Amino acid sequence: MILGEPAFSVQPNRQALRDDSRFLCFDAGRVLLADAAGGAPAIPTFAQVRPLPDGIAPFELAHTDRFALFCPHPFHGGQVPERAGLRYYPLHVFRSMPYAEAGLMVSCWHLWAWYERNRFCGRCAHPLVPDEAERALRCEGCGLVVYPAIAPAVIVAITRGDSILLARSARSAFRHHTLISGYVEVGETLEHAVRREVMEEVGLRLGALRYLGDQPWGVSGSQMFAFQAEAQEGDIRLQESELCEAGWFRRDELEPRGRTVSIALELIERFRTGTL
Ligand SMILES: [Zn+2]
């Protein structure tokens, strides 16, 4: 295990909405959070969000053993406006939040984005309705059941002795140096995906792969499977459509990352401190 285990479930739990329930509103890549004095913003309680504007029906997204978490019904529309103490933040604000809360929020975003893309049946075009017993959508026209999609992805710490390969994406909004990663293709094993991505993006062959752990990464609706491998001899050959920069960084050149909420930064930090 690389980072903490999730301490919540997304299965329907039929809890009543209460003042101490949490209430998350998403809007085009943003999330409504409560200002916290001197710290990172927090997932608001329902008491901080109510009264809901007309037309917004609460919808249960997740629960912990302490509270249930609701959002506006994803198929009914409507938006909770900002007000004193409540502001919409870009989704990447999760990087400044405590790990457990960030994980809960990003997984709720994963579900929310899935609902947004699945209003109608892909087989018969009937509207889909949320199932009451499990986290799924059901077509009342043809009976199709649609489950939340999770895209498997791999991420790899490529090392060469006392150095690690870091790259910057040519496309991602996250512009920092990070590790090579990519989606697993249909019919592929995780190991094959690692070797293919590394060959495509930086033209390197790898020695034996070591599996390190995984992390749900709801930002992109994926599950990240992490590996480490030593690069074999050869020069970096950059795939410029994917990466704008890649290079070797010695352990003593790396900046301390402190607290991390992503498996990528956690692996870099562990390499820096000699604990990878
Ligand atoms: Zn259907």
Side-chain angles (χ1 to χ4, degrees):
M1 189 177 73
I2 298 288
L3 292 158
E5 292 288 354
F8 59 88
S9 165
V10 300
Q11 288 308 317
N13 201 31
R14 296 193 189 86
Q15 293 201 25
L17 180 60
R18 311 182 336 182
D19 268 359
D20 65 349
S21 301
R22 304 302 192 263
F23 203 91
L24 268 178
C25 304
F26 297 109
D27 164 44
R30 299 187 308 158
V31 55
L32 187 69
L33 296 177
D35 294 334
I43 298 174
T45 61
F46 181 57
Q48 290 172 296
V49 170
R50 71 177 160 80
L52 294 177
D54 287 347
I56 291 189
F59 181 82
E60 190 191 319
L61 267 188
H63 64 275
T64 72
D65 56 11
R66 293 185 299 120
F67 57 80
L69 190 150
F70 294 78
C71 67
H73 194 294
F75 294 166
H76 292 186
Q79 192 194 48
V80 175
E82 294 185 331
R83 69 178 76 142
L86 279 182
R87 250 186 321 142
Y88 279 95
Y89 290 82
L91 188 67
H92 61 70
V93 71
F94 77 88
R95 292 182 183 274
S96 68
M97 294 165 68
Y99 179 73
E101 190 162 6
L104 174 61
M105 187 184 89
V106 172
S107 292
C108 287
W109 162 261
H110 183 167
L111 282 181
W112 174 263
W114 170 72
Y115 280 117
E116 280 234 295
R117 290 192 304 267
N118 288 276
R119 290 164 183 253
F120 299 95
C121 177
R123 185 157 68 188
C124 77
H126 236 81
L128 293 172
V129 294
D131 190 272
E132 291 187 358
E134 59 179 348
R135 185 64 60 185
L137 289 162
R138 195 169 290 277
C139 176
E140 292 183 331
C142 72
L144 182 73
V145 179
V146 182
Y147 291 98
I150 305 171
V154 291
I155 185 162
V156 55
I158 307 170
T159 54
R160 185 174 272 174
D162 227 23
S163 297
I164 187 166
L165 188 143
L166 300 181
R168 285 200 306 139
S169 168
R171 299 186 299 186
S172 165
F174 186 65
R175 304 308 303 239
H176 300 278
H177 283 95
T178 188
L179 303 178
I180 301 293
S181 63
Y183 289 107
V184 179
E185 294 183 351
V186 171
E188 204 175 32
T189 62
L190 299 179
E191 174 160 348
H192 187 273
V194 171
R195 294 185 186 281
R196 176 184 52 73
E197 282 288 342
V198 170
M199 180 52 69
E200 285 173 3
E201 296 197 3
V202 290
L204 291 172
R205 291 189 190 284
L206 301 177
L209 297 189
R210 185 162 60 99
Y211 175 66
L212 299 172
D214 69 317
Q215 181 187 26
W217 193 245
V219 179
S220 53
S222 56
Q223 188 83 8
M224 303 291 287
F225 296 91
F227 295 84
Q228 179 270 330
E230 281 279 303
Q232 296 180 342
E233 285 306 306
D235 294 331
I236 294 170
R237 201 180 61 242
L238 210 60
Q239 183 183 27
E240 289 175 357
S241 58
E242 293 288 328
L243 300 178
C244 61
E245 190 185 341
W248 295 106
F249 290 75
R250 281 199 328 273
R251 200 185 299 277
D252 59 9
E253 291 177 320
L254 299 173
E255 299 280 334
R257 303 277 178 163
R259 196 181 57 81
T260 60
V261 295
S262 75
I263 204 163
L265 296 185
E266 180 67 19
L267 296 187
I268 297 169
E269 180 64 6
R270 289 189 185 194
F271 179 77
R272 187 187 73 82
T273 57
T275 55
L276 184 64

